[in-house]
Amino acid sequence: MKRVGNIYEKMLDPLFIGFAIHAASEGKRKRLVVKRVLDDMEGHVQKIKEMLQAQSFKPSPYHVFERYDHLNKKYRKIQRPKFFPDQIIHWLVVLAIKPALTRGMYFWNCGSIPNRGIKHGFKAVRTWLNTDKKNTKYTLKLDIRKYYDSVPHDKLMNLLRRKIKDEKMLALIQQIVDTTDTGIPIGNFTSQWFANFYLETLDHYIKERLGAKHYVRYIDDMILFSANKKELHKVRLRIAEFLRRELGLELKANWQVYKTEPRGVDFLGYVFHRTHTALRARNFLSFVRQCGKVRKMIASKAAIPFRVAAGLISRLGQLSHCNSFLITKKYLTGIKLKTLKKVVRNESKSKLQPAVA
């Protein structure tokens, strides 16, 4: 595959920089540092341009904190970079290299990619279970041990060099990658893209060398189907060997090979069965608690906070893909969707004010 060059110069376009600033500021426009940048867009665009022209960007120290991951029930270390200039530079890098990274990307790679999120992965599993009972008789579920923390910098850069031949861009990426001793930090916008890209060779190995008929990946969570249980065990061993040898990674020990029916496939927050799709048990419990909290607020005539309203709307979006008519009818009693949407709409309007000023 032909490598892509002359990427770095694209980032010097003031319109390109302005777009990156607005994209990086999304959801953060009430923060003072973000307001200052947005209030002087022209000046900050020029500063970023001069910094890139002189190749003088130096990554700032991270703000390090822990955040509880409700999906995986554990605390994660977050390393958040400064908004200016780091987060803006990260956005510029991703916007510039995105065409190169997405070229040749496996179709059912579904994590943190525009138009390829959870809905995309949902469609894959649902379609295969509905249309190919024979080749979805058994399920292999696996993921990678401490994935973000384990990505080797040298191997990541070697794979990026196969896509990119712009030395200025590669030098800038190397600076961002080397802000940590090992792995890629959860908190960088670039890390989402690098994490997806790094497993591209694994995707092609599974499909082209191992001949997997049905395979889907969301970041490092993987699901494979087969008509043969022994075949999936062989595939799992070969995947583990490929990860160790080629990518310097290890499979997590909690891998599973099992008969798809009647257990179902627990993936992306859902449990997929032949006849229906259900919300994962702990997600359903969260939904019930969210409904209870909102009903109490309505009963006491208290204002519903934006995060509470947005969270419940998001959960209802999940439920819309499930067989959930009776569930929503039971637990949404007394809660009006238009009230929740009004809270979110008002918050969105308030966030736009600083950018307009």
Side-chain angles (χ1 to χ4, degrees):
M1 184 180 290
K2 188 176 180 182
R3 295 189 301 156
V4 179
N6 300 318
I7 305 174
Y8 193 89
E9 301 304 315
K10 293 180 181 179
M11 298 191 299
L12 303 181
D13 182 346
L15 291 176
F16 199 72
I17 298 170
F19 180 83
I21 291 175
H22 276 289
S25 70
E26 188 66 34
K28 309 166 191 171
R29 291 174 183 167
K30 287 188 175 181
R31 297 179 190 172
L32 290 177
V33 65
V34 178
K35 284 182 179 180
R36 283 197 292 268
V37 173
L38 294 173
D39 287 344
D40 182 19
M41 277 287 290
E42 187 175 339
H44 285 91
V45 165
Q46 186 61 30
K47 286 179 182 179
I48 292 285
K49 181 178 179 180
E50 291 172 359
M51 192 180 297
L52 291 171
Q53 283 177 323
Q55 293 182 265
S56 60
F57 168 69
K58 299 294 180 186
S60 307
Y62 290 112
H63 170 55
V64 182
F65 60 97
E66 284 193 337
R67 178 173 291 165
Y68 188 67
D69 182 347
H70 290 277
L71 185 64
N72 294 293
K73 301 296 179 182
K74 62 182 179 182
Y75 284 93
R76 294 190 182 277
K77 184 174 78 169
I78 309 297
Q79 294 165 279
R80 187 171 68 196
K82 284 187 176 181
F83 178 74
F84 183 88
D86 299 65
Q87 290 185 35
I88 297 165
I89 295 289
H90 295 175
W91 267 89
L92 282 167
V93 167
V94 169
L95 291 171
I97 68 175
K98 184 164 65 172
L101 296 189
T102 53
R103 190 174 61 177
M105 182 179 285
Y106 175 53
F107 185 73
W108 294 116
N109 168 11
C110 309
S112 303
I113 300 165
N115 304 315
R116 285 200 190 189
I118 288 175
K119 288 183 181 178
H120 193 63
F122 182 102
K123 179 181 177 181
V125 178
R126 189 68 270 162
T127 299
W128 297 336
L129 290 178
N130 288 347
T131 61
D132 195 355
K133 186 174 182 179
K134 176 184 175 182
N135 290 302
T136 56
K137 185 177 180 180
Y138 293 98
T139 300
L140 167 60
K141 182 180 179 181
L142 36 77
D143 63 345
I144 296 170
R145 182 176 179 274
K146 296 184 178 179
Y147 178 46
Y148 274 80
D149 293 335
S150 302
V151 174
H153 295 180
D154 57 340
K155 291 181 180 291
L156 172 61
M157 291 306 302
N158 286 339
L159 289 174
L160 286 168
R161 287 188 183 95
R162 294 185 191 178
K163 295 269 189 177
I164 300 166
K165 64 178 179 181
D166 187 320
E167 290 302 323
K168 285 185 179 180
M169 178 59 80
L170 288 168
L172 178 56
I173 292 172
Q174 184 83 64
Q175 274 189 294
I176 296 169
V177 169
D178 286 344
T179 53
T180 55
D181 294 331
T182 59
I184 49 179
I186 299 174
N188 277 6
F189 181 57
T190 51
S191 294
Q192 302 172 27
W193 284 85
F194 293 159
N196 261 315
F197 164 72
Y198 191 62
L199 295 179
E200 181 180 299
T201 54
L202 174 67
D203 294 335
H204 290 291
Y205 176 73
I206 290 172
K207 288 297 293 182
E208 295 159 19
R209 295 287 297 278
L210 301 184
K213 186 174 179 65
H214 298 311
Y215 159 62
V216 59
R217 175 170 67 83
Y218 186 85
I219 310 293
D220 65 317
D221 291 327
M222 294 167 270
I223 294 288
L224 292 90
F225 294 105
S226 177
N228 189 297
K229 187 175 183 179
K230 289 183 178 179
E231 186 62 32
L232 285 180
H233 279 290
K234 291 178 183 177
V235 165
R236 191 264 305 172
L237 290 171
R238 294 182 70 180
I239 289 173
E241 174 58 27
F242 182 89
L243 286 170
R244 281 193 300 268
R245 184 183 67 248
E246 301 294 331
L247 299 175
L249 301 170
E250 291 183 37
L251 275 185
K252 195 180 289 185
N254 65 348
W255 58 268
Q256 301 171 54
V257 175
Y258 59 91
K259 199 169 185 177
T260 304
E261 296 181 80
R263 179 174 166 180
V265 182
D266 188 339
F267 188 55
L268 302 174
Y270 299 95
V271 181
F272 298 87
H273 298 274
R274 296 275 181 211
T275 56
H276 66 284
T277 305
L279 200 62
R280 182 182 287 163
R282 61 174 175 253
N283 290 354
F284 172 70
L285 182 59
S286 295
F287 166 69
V288 173
R289 287 171 176 167
Q290 285 172 310
C291 289
K293 184 184 292 186
V294 170
R295 273 198 299 271
K296 286 180 181 178
M297 291 176 179
I298 292 172
S300 63
K301 297 184 180 180
I304 301 172
F306 165 72
R307 287 185 179 277
V308 174
L312 185 50
I313 289 174
S314 176
R315 193 71 70 188
L316 288 171
Q318 275 190 305
L319 280 167
S320 68
H321 299 289
C322 302
N323 302 81
S324 59
F325 175 76
L326 294 177
I327 291 172
T328 52
K329 185 178 180 180
K330 177 180 178 180
Y331 291 102
L332 280 180
T333 302
I335 301 174
K336 293 182 179 180
L337 184 58
K338 65 179 183 181
T339 302
L340 302 176
K341 288 183 176 180
K342 184 178 180 180
V343 173
V344 173
R345 189 163 55 247
N346 289 341
E347 176 73 10
S348 298
K349 287 179 180 178
S350 70
K351 283 182 178 179
L352 288 174
Q353 292 307 313
V356 175

